[in-house]
Amino acid sequence: MNPELLSKKLARAQQRVGILERMIEEKTRELFIANEGLRELIDYQQELQHVIPGALLVVERDQQRIETINESARKLLGVDPDASLEKQDARHYFPAFDDFVEAQEAPGASRHPRETHWHTADGREVPVLVSVRLLPPRAETPAKVVLVGVDLTERKRLEAELRQAQKLESIGQLSAGIAHEINTPMQFIGDNVSFLESAFADLLRVVDAYEAIRLHRGERKAMRDELKEAVEEADLDYLRERAPRAFERTVAGVARVAKIVRGMKVFAHPKDEQSAIDIQDAIETTLTVAHHEYRYVADLETQFTPHLRVVGYAGDLNQVLLNLVVNAAHSMKDRKAKGKLTISTRADNDVVVIAIADTGTGIPEEIQHRIFDPFFTTKEVGRGTGQGLTLAHKVITELHGGRLSFTSKVGEGTTFFIHLPMAGAARGAA
Amino acid sequence: MKGIVFNLLESFVCEGWGEDVYEEILDRCPLHTQEPFVGPGTYPDADLVSIASATAKHLGLSLPDALRAFGAYCLPHLVGSVPDLVGDMDTPEKLLLAVDGVIHVEVRKLFPKAHPPQFAVRINPDRTLHLEYRSERKLCAFLEGLFDGLGDHFDRDIRAEKHACMHDGSDHCAYTLQVSARAVESKAPTASAGAGLG
């Protein structure tokens, strides 16, 4: 190689080294700035994590290990602020983690928050509303799941209070009718008791006359006359015929009143434990309480499949039935002819289906999609708060894992269907 | 264009025709860039075309032929520069399928200002490959040289049939590539349609 070419190449090589050194410096500076930016971003993100009121968990998707937990989550899960949760199995606190995430990964899965339960460090179950986002794997990091949970304990308590308040409100609204329902048997109980009181006095007089003859007190003829008169006045044949009926009707009246009172008690009782519920009993109790609401506007027809039982909250379920029966009655009130209220029950595999059908005005198609919305009502002011069907929907779907649906045609009527998992069937069957 | 291509062009000329030839070529080229090319740098495309044109003229070749020969020379060097990315790719098809989604993604990570060409590759029902090339540089002759180099690298015959060309007004160049076991006396693969810069 000639010296001129060699020196040219050497000069170019030196120039290249200089350029590369500059580039390295520039890249180093860029890296430093990028690092600073990243650090700032991490600080900001950490502050954000701890300041949000929601409980934040970032979990490694495949290993289910907790990667990040914020202060709200520690508080919610009852974990010591200094305890290290990182790398712990998320399923310890969120047993349904896998199912929950799989449901989220399914095509077309809703991105709306969903209710579930987390477990605290001391084993308590906490209802939470969880938002979830899936972070796909990147070159250096595995797939992650970001969960933000909101504690629903207080909301659940308030909802329970609201349901109880609504029950009491219903009792209040029905009270005039219930008073009438109680008053009718009380009237004939009173009449019968008066009759029996006078009958008893007459009988006592007869008994006294007999007693006088037996003990030979006074003049015999006068005693016989007295007895004859007492027997005639008592009208023993009449008493023999009427007194047993009076007793019977009194006992029936007392039973009727007792049934109404028992029904009201079931409604008003704030019992919040699950129990096995006989569906026919529940419907009959509801019909007892609501009798005054429908008796003048509709004839009742029931078709019960006996011995259908569900596990649930009796008071809340009765409230749903009452709302639907009262709504049915109201929808028939404005019709000229007396309507028909048909209540039937049947088993469909592991599901109990209750159908409540009326021949009322029906629900116009344009508002059918809104009837379960809170505060939506078509009733005049003072007659409906728009909470009944919302609560009914919540009680059936959320408390009992069932479904509430309806079909309706304007001018022909509406049928509501309650689908509930049969006692002993796996949850979710409805 | 990244500096690595300029450096490869220098090596291509130096190894084939000597360093003094390269210096002569360089001296004759009107370049925008006044300083030496370094691998990580980014330089005007016109400079590459200028050097490539001067090289073609010096060697008595057409520019497309020169670019094609240069493409064949570059392939093993480019593959060798990213061993971590192509280590598992043991067939030309796998490598071609990964160019856009893997290799160019990594290039952009290293050089955020880089503008690598776009490749859309899919496997036809008859197992041939359909490849579409899009680039403002329109270096399809260079690309065809890369096909040649790819065949040599994997010891396969690659037959490239060209259906569309950006130099004929299309917005992309389209090829059907047939990869087959290399016949003992097979010649270097050729594009069946005309290829070139212009």
Side-chain angles (χ1 to χ4, degrees), chain A residues 152-321:
Chain A
L152 293 181
T153 310
E154 180 63 7
R155 198 179 96 179
K156 292 276 171 198
R157 191 184 64 75
L158 291 172
E159 279 177 0
E161 272 184 16
L162 182 64
R163 284 198 300 277
Q164 179 61 13
Q166 221 241 344
K167 276 191 270 179
L168 296 176
E169 182 198 339
S170 299
I171 295 289
Q173 284 176 347
L174 297 175
S175 58
I178 292 170
H180 182 79
E181 288 295 304
I182 292 175
N183 202 34
T184 306
M186 286 307 286
Q187 266 176 6
F188 66 73
I189 289 169
D191 291 347
N192 287 324
V193 168
S194 298
F195 163 69
L196 290 170
E197 187 186 19
S198 112
F200 186 68
D202 291 344
L203 283 175
L204 273 185
R205 199 173 147 205
V206 173
V207 169
D208 288 346
Y210 272 114
E211 228 10 39
I213 291 171
R214 193 173 64 83
L215 297 173
H216 302 290
R217 284 199 207 120
E219 202 265 319
R220 262 183 178 263
K221 184 175 178 310
M223 282 190 289
R224 273 202 302 272
D225 291 344
E226 171 62 27
L227 176 59
K228 191 182 169 198
E229 191 187 326
V231 169
E232 276 172 6
E233 271 189 28
D235 194 353
L236 286 181
D237 289 341
Y238 179 75
L239 287 186
R240 274 196 194 92
E241 185 196 328
R242 298 300 297 267
R245 261 186 74 194
F247 276 117
E248 210 174 277
R249 286 184 56 127
T250 303
V251 169
V254 169
R256 172 101 191 119
V257 171
K259 192 177 174 189
I260 294 167
V261 171
R262 203 166 46 243
M264 287 181 66
K265 210 171 143 192
V266 169
F267 266 88
H269 199 278
K271 188 177 172 184
D272 58 357
E273 288 161 17
Q274 283 201 333
S275 59
I277 302 162
D278 186 296
I279 288 298
Q280 187 173 338
D281 278 356
I283 294 172
E284 282 175 346
T285 302
T286 303
L287 291 172
T288 302
V289 175
H291 190 221
H292 192 73
E293 294 292 316
Y294 66 81
R295 68 192 293 191
Y296 301 112
V297 295
D299 293 322
L300 175 69
E301 187 179 316
T302 55
Q303 297 152 8
F304 293 130
T305 299
H307 312 305
L308 293 180
R309 289 160 82 84
V310 300
V311 173
Y313 301 88
D316 293 316
L317 211 52
N318 282 340
Q319 182 62 39
V320 172
L321 294 168

Side-chain angles (χ1 to χ4, degrees), chain A residues 1 5 8-9 12 16, chain B residues 10 19 23 27 36-37 41:
Chain A
M1 192 180 285
L5 183 62
K8 210 171 178 180
K9 285 190 80 72
R12 194 183 298 140
R16 276 185 172 141
Chain B
E10 180 181 346
E19 292 182 355
E23 292 302 327
D27 285 345
F37 301 107

